[in-house]
Amino acid sequence: ELKVEQNPLFLSMQEGKNYTIYCNYSTTSDRLYWYRQDPGKSLESLFVLLSNGAVKQEGRLMASLDTKARLSTLHITAAVHDLSATYFCAVPSNFGNEKLTFGTGTRLTIIP
Amino acid sequence: GAGVSQSPSNKVTEKGKDVELRCDPISGHTALYWYRQSLGQGLEFLIYFQGNSAPDKSGLPSDRFSAERTGGSVSTLTIQRTQQEDSAVYLCASSFTGGWGQPQHFGDGTRLSIL
């Protein structure tokens, strides 16, 4: 059974600082997705990582995938307040459809 | 439509009643997924549709839960004889064909509260 673990669960950062969220998964997968969720809102797709060594960047966020280590990271550079949200990684099934197994989520709070 | 649409946005009902939740996926998307988000269990997969067929129902928690999709478009998730543990946000997502590497686009969800 596929398990996806994220850490930390909660992260409080000062504006301007850098930090990394980690996502580990238990079975082989060659792709991984990152989503953002604002309070009371739905999930917004951030990154689609489709191969070992894939790196994607959007603004102050950068995501990478190491399929051999079964690890993805989401790096935040010089955090700003509007990055406050919950971030989820998700790994798709290897068996015929792309149903997602989600990590526990990391609730990020940026403090002025 | 422009995005995945779900209705109602909120539903409060008494234990033992039946509820129906609706999802209208992005036009042209053949793959449709239902997930459930609750404090205790996080985000869990429920069921996957490809067109009107449901080849993967493995996440449905009990036989009180069922879903259908008609016309390759709208889907309805039905919960019979609701229990308090059914309280959660039910999220619907769609993708173009459900193929490799396609991100799923989520609706705003239905927040279900069982009294």
Side-chain angles (χ1 to χ4, degrees):
Chain A
E1 180 190 349
L2 173 60
K3 294 191 186 302
V4 182
E5 294 183 352
Q6 268 181 256
N7 67 83
L9 296 184
F10 299 94
L11 178 55
S12 186
M13 300 172 58
Q14 285 192 314
E15 279 189 328
K17 299 291 188 183
N18 304 334
Y19 209 81
T20 301
I21 298 169
Y22 297 89
C23 174
N24 290 92
Y25 52 97
S26 61
T27 63
T28 302
S29 180
D30 58 3
R31 58 208 184 281
L32 185 141
Y33 304 89
W34 282 95
Y35 286 87
R36 168 181 172 147
Q37 187 176 39
D38 291 295
K41 302 291 187 183
S42 192
L43 295 157
E44 173 192 354
S45 178
L46 288 177
F47 297 111
V48 179
L49 302 169
L50 296 178
S51 62
N52 185 40
V55 177
K56 294 274 185 80
Q57 183 161 5
E58 180 73 35
R60 300 173 188 274
L61 299 177
M62 183 172 71
S64 66
L65 178 62
D66 181 341
T67 59
K68 292 180 178 155
R70 300 177 187 169
L71 170 69
S72 181
T73 61
L74 180 66
H75 187 73
I76 303 143
T77 301
V80 293
H81 180 68
D82 63 8
L83 290 179
S84 295
T86 299
Y87 293 86
F88 292 92
C89 62
V91 179
S93 167
N94 284 323
F95 299 103
N97 72 73
E98 293 279 285
K99 67 181 178 185
L100 297 173
T101 299
F102 284 86
T104 48
T106 296
R107 185 179 293 179
L108 174 64
T109 304
I110 309 297
I111 303 166
Chain B
V4 178
S5 177
Q6 291 187 246
S7 61
S9 53
N10 285 284
K11 177 73 177 178
V12 181
T13 193
E14 292 178 347
K15 178 182 168 182
K17 300 285 190 185
D18 298 351
V19 294
E20 284 189 353
L21 312 180
R22 176 187 167 108
C23 172
D24 204 339
I26 292 172
S27 179
H29 281 195
T30 63
L32 186 148
Y33 306 80
W34 284 96
Y35 295 88
R36 178 167 74 172
Q37 185 173 27
S38 60
L39 280 176
Q41 301 298 322
L43 273 154
E44 305 172 281
F45 165 78
L46 296 177
I47 187 169
Y48 159 66
F49 285 92
Q50 180 58 247
N52 292 337
S53 301
D56 190 344
K57 306 178 184 180
S58 61
L60 294 178
S62 77
D63 59 8
R64 296 185 296 105
F65 287 71
S66 63
E68 65 175 11
R69 189 178 183 193
T70 55
S73 181
V74 172
S75 177
T76 303
L77 178 68
T78 301
I79 310 172
Q80 296 180 309
R81 305 181 303 281
T82 52
Q83 303 293 314
Q84 287 187 332
E85 62 262 27
D86 301 334
S87 295
V89 177
Y90 289 81
L91 293 165
C92 176
S94 71
S95 69
F96 185 48
T97 65
W100 188 91
Q102 294 177 11
Q104 295 170 29
H105 302 272
F106 284 79
D108 287 341
T110 293
R111 182 174 298 276
L112 177 63
S113 300
I114 310 299
L115 302 178

